[in-house]
Amino acid sequence: MSDCLFCKIAQKEIPAQVVYEDEKVMAFNDINPQAPVHILVIPKKHITDLVNLEENDLSLIAEIFKIIKQIAGEKGLDQEGYRVVNNCGEKGGQTVPHLHFHLLGGRQMNWPPG
Ligand code: 5GP
Ligand code: ZN
């Protein structure tokens, strides 16, 4: 989508600190990190949120979680644990309307979230 921030990052029109990239998926550091490791993992294809995820694109979610697991291992988080978050829609606290998963780690996480 032409006016979408994360589509622009995926197309390299806006710079980001990319930590992983393949044909379908990109992972980059969050600009406002909430933990020592805070990485956003997105499909390059524009999907607004989980509500708008179609059956045909379900395999992308498996791919994204495979990459999250891989990056968490590379960052040394797999022994101590980490958190994966998807904010969906207004009450879910989503601020960028392009599907993304937060990988957060390197500090103790609390529950319930705010
Ligand atoms: P949401 O609130 O939609 O779940 O998460 C959006 C995330 O995108 C936030 O954590 C925010 O800091 C991050 N973000 C917003 N704009 C940019 C940007 O231009 N570059 C990067 N790398 N992250 C961004
Ligand atoms: Zn987009």
Side-chain angles (χ1 to χ4, degrees):
M1 224 171 68
S2 60
D3 204 28
C4 170
L5 176 63
F6 286 177
C7 281
K8 286 180 178 163
I9 287 178
Q11 286 152 24
K12 308 270 174 70
E13 289 170 23
I14 290 177
Q17 291 180 330
V18 176
V19 298
Y20 176 89
E21 183 177 8
D22 65 26
E23 198 186 320
K24 293 182 176 168
V25 177
M26 186 184 258
F28 52 89
N29 288 330
D30 196 293
I31 204 167
N32 183 22
Q34 301 300 313
V37 175
H38 188 172
I39 291 167
L40 302 173
V41 187
I42 67 166
K44 287 187 172 176
K45 174 179 178 177
H46 183 83
I47 299 168
T48 306
D49 56 21
L50 281 178
V51 173
N52 291 285
L53 178 71
E54 292 178 2
E55 190 102 17
N56 282 344
D57 290 323
L58 277 177
S59 62
L60 268 175
I61 304 301
E63 179 73 12
I64 284 171
F65 271 81
K66 186 177 137 190
I67 289 154
I68 289 172
K69 181 176 154 71
Q70 183 182 311
I71 296 170
E74 286 166 8
K75 298 286 178 187
L77 299 175
D78 44 1
Q79 296 299 312
E80 61 186 39
Y82 53 90
R83 182 171 288 176
V84 180
V85 173
N86 171 253
N87 297 324
C88 181
E90 191 184 342
K91 286 205 173 167
Q94 185 176 5
T95 59
V96 177
H98 180 126
L99 182 65
H100 54 279
F101 293 85
H102 300 251
L103 167 59
L104 295 146
R107 69 165 170 85
Q108 180 62 52
M109 297 296 157
N110 300 310
W111 196 264

Coordinates of all heavy atoms in Angstrom, one line a residue, residues 7-77:
C7 N 5.0 -0.7 4.7 CA 5.2 -1.0 3.3 C 6.4 -0.3 2.8 O 7.3 -0.8 2.0 CB 4.0 -0.7 2.5 SG 2.7 -1.9 2.6
K8 N 6.6 1.0 3.2 CA 7.7 1.8 2.8 C 9.0 1.3 3.3 O 10.0 1.3 2.6 CB 7.5 3.3 3.2 CG 6.4 4.0 2.4 CD 6.3 5.4 2.8 CE 5.2 6.1 1.9 NZ 4.7 7.3 2.5
I9 N 9.0 0.8 4.5 CA 10.2 0.2 5.1 C 10.5 -1.1 4.3 O 11.7 -1.4 3.9 CB 10.0 -0.1 6.6 CG1 10.1 1.2 7.4 CG2 11.1 -1.1 7.1 CD1 9.9 1.2 8.9
A10 N 9.5 -1.9 4.0 CA 9.7 -3.2 3.3 C 10.3 -2.9 1.9 O 11.1 -3.7 1.4 CB 8.4 -3.9 3.2
Q11 N 9.9 -1.8 1.3 CA 10.4 -1.4 0.0 C 11.6 -0.6 0.0 O 12.1 -0.1 -1.0 CB 9.2 -0.7 -0.8 CG 8.1 -1.7 -1.2 CD 6.8 -1.0 -1.4 OE1 6.7 0.2 -1.6 NE2 5.7 -1.8 -1.3
K12 N 12.2 -0.4 1.2 CA 13.4 0.4 1.4 C 13.3 1.9 1.0 O 14.2 2.5 0.7 CB 14.6 -0.2 0.6 CG 14.8 -1.7 0.9 CD 15.7 -2.0 2.0 CE 15.9 -3.4 2.4 NZ 16.6 -4.3 1.5
E13 N 12.0 2.4 1.1 CA 11.8 3.8 0.8 C 12.1 4.6 2.1 O 12.4 5.8 2.0 CB 10.4 4.0 0.3 CG 10.1 3.5 -1.1 CD 8.7 3.6 -1.4 OE1 7.9 4.3 -0.8 OE2 8.3 2.8 -2.3
I14 N 11.9 3.9 3.2 CA 12.3 4.5 4.5 C 13.3 3.5 5.2 O 13.1 2.3 5.2 CB 11.0 4.6 5.4 CG1 10.1 5.7 4.8 CG2 11.4 4.9 6.9 CD1 8.8 5.9 5.6
P15 N 14.4 4.1 5.7 CA 15.4 3.2 6.3 C 15.0 2.6 7.6 O 14.2 3.2 8.3 CB 16.6 4.2 6.5 CG 16.0 5.5 6.5 CD 14.8 5.5 5.7
A16 N 15.6 1.4 7.9 CA 15.4 0.7 9.1 C 16.6 -0.1 9.4 O 17.3 -0.4 8.4 CB 14.1 -0.1 9.1
Q17 N 16.8 -0.5 10.6 CA 17.9 -1.4 11.0 C 17.4 -2.8 10.8 O 16.8 -3.4 11.7 CB 18.4 -1.2 12.4 CG 19.1 0.2 12.6 CD 19.5 0.4 14.0 OE1 18.9 -0.1 15.0 NE2 20.6 1.2 14.2
V18 N 17.6 -3.3 9.6 CA 17.1 -4.7 9.2 C 17.9 -5.8 9.9 O 19.2 -5.8 9.7 CB 17.1 -4.8 7.7 CG1 16.6 -6.2 7.3 CG2 16.2 -3.7 7.1
V19 N 17.3 -6.7 10.5 CA 18.0 -7.8 11.1 C 17.8 -9.1 10.4 O 18.5 -10.1 10.6 CB 17.7 -8.0 12.7 CG1 18.1 -6.8 13.4 CG2 16.2 -8.3 12.9
Y20 N 16.7 -9.2 9.6 CA 16.5 -10.3 8.8 C 15.6 -9.9 7.6 O 14.7 -9.1 7.7 CB 15.7 -11.4 9.6 CG 15.3 -12.6 8.7 CD1 16.2 -13.7 8.6 CD2 14.1 -12.6 8.0 CE1 15.9 -14.7 7.7 CE2 13.8 -13.7 7.1 CZ 14.7 -14.7 7.0 OH 14.4 -15.8 6.2
E21 N 15.9 -10.6 6.4 CA 15.0 -10.3 5.3 C 15.0 -11.5 4.3 O 16.1 -12.1 4.1 CB 15.6 -9.0 4.5 CG 14.7 -8.6 3.3 CD 15.2 -7.4 2.6 OE1 16.3 -6.9 3.0 OE2 14.5 -6.9 1.7
D22 N 13.9 -11.8 3.8 CA 13.8 -12.7 2.7 C 12.7 -12.2 1.7 O 12.3 -11.1 1.8 CB 13.6 -14.2 3.1 CG 12.2 -14.4 3.8 OD1 11.3 -13.7 3.5 OD2 12.2 -15.4 4.6
E23 N 12.3 -13.1 0.8 CA 11.4 -12.6 -0.2 C 10.1 -12.1 0.4 O 9.4 -11.2 -0.1 CB 11.1 -13.8 -1.1 CG 10.5 -13.5 -2.5 CD 10.2 -14.8 -3.2 OE1 11.0 -15.8 -3.1 OE2 9.1 -14.8 -3.8
K24 N 9.6 -12.7 1.5 CA 8.3 -12.5 2.0 C 8.2 -11.8 3.3 O 7.2 -11.2 3.7 CB 7.5 -13.8 2.1 CG 7.2 -14.5 0.8 CD 6.5 -15.7 1.0 CE 6.1 -16.3 -0.3 NZ 5.6 -17.7 -0.2
V25 N 9.3 -11.8 4.1 CA 9.3 -11.3 5.5 C 10.5 -10.4 5.7 O 11.6 -10.6 5.2 CB 9.4 -12.6 6.4 CG1 9.4 -12.1 7.9 CG2 8.2 -13.5 6.2
M26 N 10.3 -9.4 6.6 CA 11.4 -8.6 7.0 C 11.3 -8.4 8.5 O 10.2 -8.3 9.1 CB 11.3 -7.2 6.3 CG 12.4 -6.3 6.6 SD 12.2 -4.7 5.8 CE 13.2 -4.8 4.4
A27 N 12.5 -8.3 9.2 CA 12.5 -8.0 10.6 C 13.5 -6.8 10.8 O 14.6 -6.8 10.2 CB 13.0 -9.2 11.4
F28 N 13.1 -5.9 11.7 CA 13.9 -4.7 11.9 C 13.7 -4.2 13.3 O 12.7 -4.4 13.9 CB 13.6 -3.6 10.8 CG 12.1 -3.2 10.7 CD1 11.6 -2.2 11.5 CD2 11.3 -3.9 9.8 CE1 10.2 -1.9 11.4 CE2 9.9 -3.6 9.7 CZ 9.4 -2.6 10.5
N29 N 14.7 -3.4 13.8 CA 14.6 -2.9 15.1 C 13.5 -1.8 15.3 O 13.4 -1.0 14.4 CB 16.0 -2.2 15.5 CG 17.1 -3.3 15.8 OD1 16.8 -4.4 16.2 ND2 18.3 -2.9 15.5
D30 N 12.8 -1.9 16.4 CA 11.8 -0.9 16.6 C 12.5 0.4 16.9 O 13.5 0.5 17.6 CB 10.9 -1.3 17.9 CG 9.7 -0.5 18.0 OD1 9.7 0.7 18.2 OD2 8.6 -1.1 17.8
I31 N 11.9 1.5 16.4 CA 12.5 2.8 16.5 C 12.5 3.4 18.0 O 13.2 4.2 18.4 CB 11.8 3.8 15.5 CG1 12.7 5.0 15.2 CG2 10.5 4.3 16.1 CD1 12.2 5.8 14.0
N32 N 11.5 2.8 18.7 CA 11.3 3.3 20.1 C 11.3 2.0 21.1 O 10.3 1.6 21.6 CB 10.0 4.0 20.2 CG 9.7 4.6 21.6 OD1 10.7 4.8 22.4 ND2 8.5 4.8 21.9
P33 N 12.5 1.4 21.2 CA 12.5 0.1 21.9 C 12.0 0.1 23.3 O 12.4 1.0 24.1 CB 14.0 -0.3 21.8 CG 14.8 1.0 21.6 CD 13.8 1.9 20.8
Q34 N 11.2 -0.9 23.6 CA 10.7 -1.1 25.0 C 11.4 -2.1 25.8 O 11.0 -2.5 26.9 CB 9.2 -1.4 24.9 CG 8.4 -0.4 24.1 CD 8.4 1.0 24.8 OE1 8.2 1.1 26.0 NE2 8.7 2.0 24.0
A35 N 12.5 -2.7 25.2 CA 13.3 -3.7 25.9 C 14.6 -3.7 25.2 O 14.8 -3.2 24.1 CB 12.6 -5.0 25.8
P36 N 15.7 -4.3 25.8 CA 17.0 -4.3 25.2 C 16.9 -4.9 23.8 O 17.6 -4.5 22.9 CB 17.8 -5.2 26.1 CG 17.2 -4.9 27.5 CD 15.7 -4.8 27.2
V37 N 16.1 -6.0 23.6 CA 15.8 -6.4 22.2 C 14.4 -6.1 21.9 O 13.4 -6.5 22.7 CB 16.0 -8.0 22.1 CG1 15.6 -8.5 20.7 CG2 17.5 -8.3 22.4
H38 N 14.1 -5.4 20.9 CA 12.7 -5.0 20.4 C 12.7 -5.0 18.9 O 13.2 -4.0 18.3 CB 12.3 -3.7 21.0 CG 10.8 -3.5 20.8 ND1 10.1 -2.4 21.4 CD2 9.9 -4.1 20.0 CE1 8.9 -2.4 20.9 NE2 8.7 -3.4 20.1
I39 N 12.3 -6.1 18.3 CA 12.4 -6.2 16.9 C 10.9 -6.4 16.4 O 10.1 -7.1 17.0 CB 13.2 -7.5 16.5 CG1 14.7 -7.1 16.9 CG2 13.1 -7.9 15.1 CD1 15.6 -8.3 16.9
L40 N 10.6 -5.8 15.2 CA 9.3 -6.0 14.6 C 9.5 -6.9 13.4 O 10.4 -6.8 12.6 CB 8.8 -4.6 14.1 CG 8.7 -3.6 15.2 CD1 8.3 -2.2 14.5 CD2 7.6 -4.0 16.2
V41 N 8.6 -7.9 13.3 CA 8.7 -8.9 12.2 C 7.4 -8.7 11.4 O 6.3 -8.8 12.0 CB 8.8 -10.3 12.7 CG1 9.1 -11.2 11.5 CG2 10.0 -10.4 13.7
I42 N 7.5 -8.4 10.1 CA 6.4 -8.1 9.2 C 6.4 -9.0 8.0 O 7.4 -9.3 7.5 CB 6.4 -6.6 8.8 CG1 7.5 -6.3 7.9 CG2 6.4 -5.7 10.0 CD1 7.4 -4.9 7.2
P43 N 5.2 -9.2 7.4 CA 5.1 -9.7 6.1 C 5.4 -8.5 5.1 O 4.9 -7.4 5.4 CB 3.7 -10.2 5.9 CG 2.9 -9.4 6.9 CD 3.8 -9.0 8.0
K44 N 6.1 -8.7 4.0 CA 6.3 -7.6 3.1 C 5.0 -7.2 2.4 O 4.8 -6.0 2.1 CB 7.3 -8.0 2.1 CG 8.8 -8.0 2.6 CD 9.8 -8.2 1.5 CE 11.2 -8.1 2.1 NZ 12.2 -8.4 1.1
K45 N 4.1 -8.2 2.2 CA 2.8 -7.9 1.7 C 2.0 -7.1 2.7 O 2.0 -7.4 3.9 CB 2.1 -9.3 1.4 CG 0.7 -9.2 0.9 CD 0.1 -10.6 0.7 CE -1.3 -10.4 0.3 NZ -1.9 -11.7 -0.1
H46 N 1.2 -6.1 2.2 CA 0.4 -5.4 3.1 C -0.8 -6.2 3.5 O -1.7 -6.5 2.7 CB -0.1 -4.1 2.4 CG -0.9 -3.2 3.4 ND1 -0.3 -2.4 4.3 CD2 -2.2 -3.2 3.6 CE1 -1.2 -1.9 5.1 NE2 -2.4 -2.3 4.7
I47 N -0.8 -6.4 4.8 CA -2.0 -7.0 5.5 C -2.2 -6.1 6.7 O -1.3 -5.8 7.5 CB -1.7 -8.5 6.0 CG1 -1.4 -9.4 4.7 CG2 -2.9 -9.0 6.8 CD1 -0.9 -10.7 5.1
T48 N -3.4 -5.6 6.9 CA -3.6 -4.5 7.9 C -3.4 -5.1 9.3 O -2.8 -4.5 10.1 CB -5.0 -3.9 7.7 OG1 -5.1 -3.5 6.4 CG2 -5.2 -2.8 8.7
D49 N -4.1 -6.2 9.6 CA -4.0 -6.8 10.9 C -4.6 -8.2 10.8 O -4.9 -8.7 9.8 CB -4.9 -5.9 11.9 CG -6.3 -5.7 11.4 OD1 -6.8 -6.5 10.6 OD2 -7.0 -4.8 11.9
L50 N -4.6 -8.9 12.0 CA -5.1 -10.3 12.0 C -6.5 -10.4 11.5 O -6.9 -11.4 10.9 CB -4.9 -10.9 13.4 CG -3.5 -11.3 13.8 CD1 -3.5 -11.9 15.2 CD2 -2.9 -12.4 12.8
V51 N -7.3 -9.4 11.8 CA -8.7 -9.4 11.4 C -8.8 -9.6 9.8 O -9.7 -10.3 9.3 CB -9.5 -8.2 11.8 CG1 -10.9 -8.1 11.2 CG2 -9.5 -8.1 13.3
N52 N -7.9 -8.9 9.2 CA -7.9 -8.9 7.7 C -6.9 -10.0 7.1 O -6.7 -9.9 5.9 CB -7.5 -7.5 7.2 CG -8.6 -6.5 7.5 OD1 -9.6 -6.5 6.8 ND2 -8.4 -5.7 8.5
L53 N -6.5 -10.9 7.9 CA -5.6 -12.0 7.4 C -6.5 -13.0 6.7 O -7.5 -13.5 7.3 CB -4.9 -12.6 8.5 CG -4.0 -13.8 8.2 CD1 -2.7 -13.3 7.4 CD2 -3.5 -14.5 9.5
E54 N -6.2 -13.3 5.4 CA -7.0 -14.3 4.7 C -6.4 -15.6 4.7 O -5.2 -15.8 5.0 CB -7.1 -13.8 3.2 CG -8.0 -12.5 3.2 CD -8.1 -11.9 1.8 OE1 -7.6 -12.5 0.8 OE2 -8.8 -10.9 1.7
E55 N -7.2 -16.6 4.5 CA -6.8 -18.0 4.6 C -5.6 -18.3 3.7 O -4.7 -19.0 4.2 CB -8.0 -18.9 4.0 CG -7.8 -20.3 4.2 CD -8.7 -20.9 5.4 OE1 -9.6 -20.2 5.8 OE2 -8.4 -22.0 5.8
N56 N -5.5 -17.7 2.6 CA -4.4 -17.9 1.6 C -3.1 -17.5 2.2 O -2.0 -17.9 1.8 CB -4.6 -17.0 0.4 CG -5.6 -17.7 -0.5 OD1 -5.9 -18.9 -0.4 ND2 -6.1 -16.9 -1.5
D57 N -3.1 -16.5 3.2 CA -1.9 -16.0 3.8 C -1.5 -16.6 5.1 O -0.5 -16.1 5.7 CB -2.0 -14.4 3.9 CG -2.0 -13.7 2.6 OD1 -1.3 -14.2 1.7 OD2 -2.8 -12.8 2.4
L58 N -2.2 -17.6 5.5 CA -1.9 -18.2 6.8 C -0.5 -18.8 6.9 O 0.1 -18.7 8.0 CB -2.9 -19.4 7.1 CG -4.3 -19.0 7.7 CD1 -5.2 -20.2 7.9 CD2 -4.1 -18.2 9.0
S59 N 0.0 -19.2 5.8 CA 1.4 -19.8 5.8 C 2.4 -18.8 6.2 O 3.5 -19.1 6.7 CB 1.7 -20.5 4.5 OG 1.7 -19.5 3.5
L60 N 2.1 -17.5 5.9 CA 3.0 -16.4 6.3 C 3.2 -16.3 7.8 O 4.3 -16.0 8.2 CB 2.4 -15.1 5.8 CG 2.8 -14.5 4.4 CD1 2.0 -13.3 4.1 CD2 4.3 -14.2 4.3
I61 N 2.2 -16.6 8.5 CA 2.3 -16.6 10.0 C 3.2 -17.6 10.5 O 4.1 -17.4 11.4 CB 0.9 -16.7 10.6 CG1 -0.1 -15.7 10.1 CG2 1.0 -16.6 12.1 CD1 0.3 -14.2 10.3
A62 N 3.2 -18.8 9.9 CA 4.1 -19.9 10.3 C 5.5 -19.4 10.0 O 6.5 -19.6 10.8 CB 3.8 -21.2 9.6
E63 N 5.7 -18.8 8.8 CA 7.0 -18.4 8.4 C 7.5 -17.3 9.4 O 8.7 -17.3 9.8 CB 6.9 -17.8 7.0 CG 8.1 -17.2 6.4 CD 9.1 -18.2 5.9 OE1 8.8 -19.4 5.9 OE2 10.3 -17.9 5.7
I64 N 6.7 -16.4 9.7 CA 7.0 -15.3 10.6 C 7.5 -15.9 12.0 O 8.5 -15.5 12.6 CB 5.9 -14.3 10.8 CG1 5.8 -13.4 9.5 CG2 6.0 -13.4 12.1 CD1 4.6 -12.5 9.5
F65 N 6.7 -16.9 12.5 CA 7.1 -17.4 13.8 C 8.4 -18.2 13.7 O 9.2 -18.3 14.7 CB 5.9 -18.2 14.4 CG 5.0 -17.4 15.2 CD1 4.1 -16.6 14.6 CD2 5.2 -17.3 16.6 CE1 3.3 -15.7 15.4 CE2 4.4 -16.4 17.4 CZ 3.4 -15.6 16.8
K66 N 8.6 -18.8 12.6 CA 9.9 -19.5 12.4 C 11.1 -18.5 12.5 O 12.1 -18.8 13.1 CB 9.9 -20.2 11.0 CG 11.1 -21.1 10.7 CD 10.9 -21.7 9.3 CE 12.2 -21.6 8.6 NZ 12.1 -22.0 7.2
I67 N 10.9 -17.4 11.9 CA 11.9 -16.3 11.9 C 12.0 -15.7 13.3 O 13.2 -15.5 13.7 CB 11.6 -15.3 10.8 CG1 11.8 -15.9 9.4 CG2 12.4 -14.0 11.0 CD1 11.0 -15.3 8.3
I68 N 10.9 -15.5 14.0 CA 11.0 -15.0 15.3 C 11.8 -16.0 16.2 O 12.7 -15.6 16.9 CB 9.6 -14.8 15.9 CG1 8.9 -13.6 15.3 CG2 9.6 -14.7 17.4 CD1 7.4 -13.5 15.6
K69 N 11.5 -17.3 16.1 CA 12.3 -18.3 16.8 C 13.8 -18.2 16.5 O 14.6 -18.3 17.4 CB 11.7 -19.7 16.5 CG 12.3 -20.8 17.2 CD 11.5 -22.1 16.8 CE 12.3 -23.3 16.9 NZ 12.6 -23.8 18.3
Q70 N 14.1 -18.1 15.2 CA 15.5 -18.0 14.7 C 16.2 -16.8 15.3 O 17.3 -16.9 15.8 CB 15.5 -18.0 13.2 CG 16.8 -18.0 12.6 CD 16.7 -17.9 11.0 OE1 15.9 -18.7 10.4 NE2 17.4 -17.0 10.4
I71 N 15.6 -15.6 15.2 CA 16.2 -14.4 15.7 C 16.4 -14.5 17.2 O 17.4 -14.1 17.7 CB 15.3 -13.1 15.3 CG1 15.3 -13.0 13.8 CG2 15.9 -11.9 15.9 CD1 14.3 -11.9 13.3
A72 N 15.4 -14.9 17.9 CA 15.5 -15.1 19.4 C 16.7 -15.9 19.7 O 17.4 -15.6 20.7 CB 14.2 -15.6 20.0
G73 N 16.9 -17.0 19.0 CA 18.1 -17.8 19.2 C 19.4 -17.1 19.0 O 20.3 -17.1 19.8
E74 N 19.4 -16.3 17.8 CA 20.6 -15.6 17.5 C 20.9 -14.5 18.5 O 22.1 -14.2 18.8 CB 20.4 -14.9 16.1 CG 20.5 -15.8 14.9 CD 20.0 -15.2 13.6 OE1 19.7 -14.0 13.6 OE2 19.8 -16.0 12.7
K75 N 19.9 -13.9 19.1 CA 20.0 -12.9 20.2 C 20.3 -13.5 21.5 O 20.4 -12.7 22.5 CB 18.8 -12.0 20.2 CG 18.5 -11.2 18.9 CD 19.5 -10.1 18.7 CE 19.3 -9.4 17.4 NZ 20.3 -8.4 17.1
G76 N 20.3 -14.8 21.6 CA 20.6 -15.5 22.9 C 19.5 -15.4 23.9 O 19.7 -15.5 25.1
L77 N 18.2 -15.3 23.4 CA 17.1 -15.1 24.3 C 16.4 -16.5 24.6 O 15.6 -16.6 25.5 CB 16.0 -14.2 23.6 CG 16.5 -12.8 23.3 CD1 15.3 -12.1 22.6 CD2 16.8 -12.1 24.6

